[in-house]
Amino acid sequence: MSESKDFLRTIVEKDLESGKCKEVVTRFPPEPNGFPHIGHAKSIFINFGIARDYNGHCNLRMDDTNPTKEDTKYVEALEDAVQWLGFDFGDNLYFTSDYFPKIYDYAIKLIKMGKAYVDSLTEEELREYRGMVKEAGKRSKYAERTVEENLNLFERMKNGEFKDGEHVLRAKIDMGAANMKMRDPLLYRIKHAHHFRTGDDWCIYPMYDFAHCLSDYTEGISHSICTLEFENNRDIYNWVLEELELELPRPYQHEFARLGINYTVMSKRKLLELVEGGQVNGWDDPRMPTIAGYKRRGYTPESILNFCDQIGIAKANSMVDVAQLEFCIRDDLNKKVPRVMCVLDPIKVTIQNYDGNEEIDAPYYPHDVPKEGSRKLPFSSEIYIESDDFMENPPKGYFRLTPDQPVRLKHAYIISCKEVVKDTNGNITEIIAEYSPESKSGSDTSGIQVKSAIHWVDAASAKAVEVRVYDRLFKDETPEGIEDINPDSLSVIKDALIEPAVITDKHDDRFQFERQGYFYTDPVDYTDEKPVFNKIVGLKDSWAKKTKASEPKPKPQAKKVQVDGEVVAMSEVQKALFEKYTGEFGLNSEVANILARDEHLSSFYKETLSILNSPVSLANIVVNEVARELKQMQESELKFTTKQIAERVKMVDDETISSKIAKVVFEVMAKSGEDPTQIVEDKGLVQISDPSKILPIIDEIIAKNPDNVAKFKAGNTKLLGFFVGQVLKTTGGKANPKVVNELVAEKLK
RNA sequence: UGGGGAUUCGCCAAGUGGUAAGGCACUAGCUUUUGGUGCUAGCAUUCACAGGUUCGAAUCCUGUAUCCCCAUCCA
């Protein structure tokens, strides 16, 4: 768990504290119409994670209200994903379809209450009547049907007397609602389709907006967490539960931003295109961002979970860098996995001064991984090394084998190049080398200094294996479709050479191939005869970065220029008011502008002015503080009066209280409607301006924070605010900040 | 008659009137028989922009800009 709390947990804690909910119950509610991807993992992590953190529980619920899209194979994949990630839903596996009878009863209830009606418009009419985003819709004439008619029609819908699309059940809300979703949303539609669980029991199915809130309610969900695109649906969610007069506690919906990762796509539609178009080999293709894909690629659940934790939860649409995910899997595997040697692109090396063969004992784990285990490494005069690890004409900074530079064979001897054998085209086919007999790893007395140790395999005993190297699926950071596909996202190496112990020992199913990356024994295609490894992720490669660093270079982007929009002109009346405010009252133009344009504020202001003649201070409080309250409620709902505002302003004007305390007083006032003088008296908030009382506190704080004093004296003048803040904190905000400022500045000079 | 969200470093993201957390990425240096790991240090005088309020503003107020969502009998 990260140290800071996310906004959802903050809400949960608040609800627990206030008693709004007694037990935390969440749910992960996918529609079983596709394979889960890493976005689902985020949702699983959030829902199950929150339930776990607050000793509640989380249900797994299949939201199966659309029979034409859903299937049980997806149910299985979803269950598997949750379990693979390490979460236990126990008996709490539910299906919305189990609630169909209950939801039907609720629909009847709503009809009887006159809050739902059967509509018989065609699909086109329905759309037309809904209106536009900028204009109200109009209600269907069928909305006038009586309760009896509606009951009768709805029953007949259920009984299958109508064809698809002939009728729907709608909530009677408001066809003119600014929120389009509230324009008499559909509750039920007719669908003569076979449901994978309820079979042909039903031919009407509830819509998401009706089924979801009621399913949450019947499961006793406390926090219904979903993604941002459902923000507009929240109104219906609450409407249904409210209008049905369901008993408290009720669930409340909260939304977070869905996960986006660069160089990949996440929508079901686009993923499906990839599978159906043959761009990938099925839903579990290791390049897919699906759980099945990551699983087959060799990602660990721990790494995915850790990733979900690192990226956090917020409401801003965002695109996470895939490097963050890659870091998580490397970080996890680094601590767990045995190191072995595999040469992907072999070149033969003949060690001319070595005779016979031997077996070298080599540990599976490096010094910094506290795990035990080793294997035998056969060694002889014929070996293979990576062709990248030899260069005839090396660039500066190349640490590997060259005609002039010896290199260590990891776990074995130091060799140096004696001769390079080439074919007729000038390609290197073999390297003739010599080894230093005294240089054996662990008992090196040769004194030869090498710059690096490279991996290798013994020619006679190495096994040929297939290695599938995966790269990002798309070449574009924010891919649109298949046109952005990376043509090199998969390269299959048919004849890589691996040390024999990997195949015979079966020490693990994930390995680090030294200096290359992490690899996984493919769970589908791997056999002892034909071993297949999937590349999970490469090691960080700062050499590769260095060699091609010259090309890309970050483009220095100019700071965005702000375009100023147009400001609406003032009416004549407003202009006159503005003139009066700036001229007669001496308000600054900004304050005068706000006041003049807002009828409520200006009338409020006028009233306060008649009580206290302090135009500037009053204007400031009205424009800032009162405006905030007015944003949240009607003028008639305000707890405080103009008289109280005037009173509070007066206290600041005559320095009875500081402006800081004034804020506190205002808050209390806004909440309780108490008189400001009373508040100040009750809480003893009169400000302290006497330096002799403040000085000792300053001394104390200075004594407690020698570091910050030093920083301040070194020129960090921002810290003045820190000291002032500390003084105010210890005095409960009562110290006169102006005085404190002066005194602190004086003290620290 | 439009409404609802969002905006803090290259990418995520804390922060809710008193010293701009953390992770990834990046850049150095040290360690290293993996150009890995580990360790150390450096990376936002500034929070979309412009004003205002305040002793003090990322945080409160006003305005502006940009992006996302909503007009499926999908979820």
Side-chain angles (χ1 to χ4, degrees), chain A residues 431-452:
Chain A
I431 296 161
I432 310 295
E434 268 178 15
Y435 87 115
S436 163
E438 301 80 39
S439 68
K440 189 168 179 184
S441 188
S443 55
D444 185 353
T445 55
S446 70
I448 303 170
Q449 293 296 313
V450 291
K451 287 195 172 130
S452 77

Side-chain angles (χ1 to χ4, degrees), chain A residues 252 366 380 570 635 734:
Chain A
Y252 293 91
S380 69
M570 272 195 252
E635 197 168 345
K734 286 185 287 183

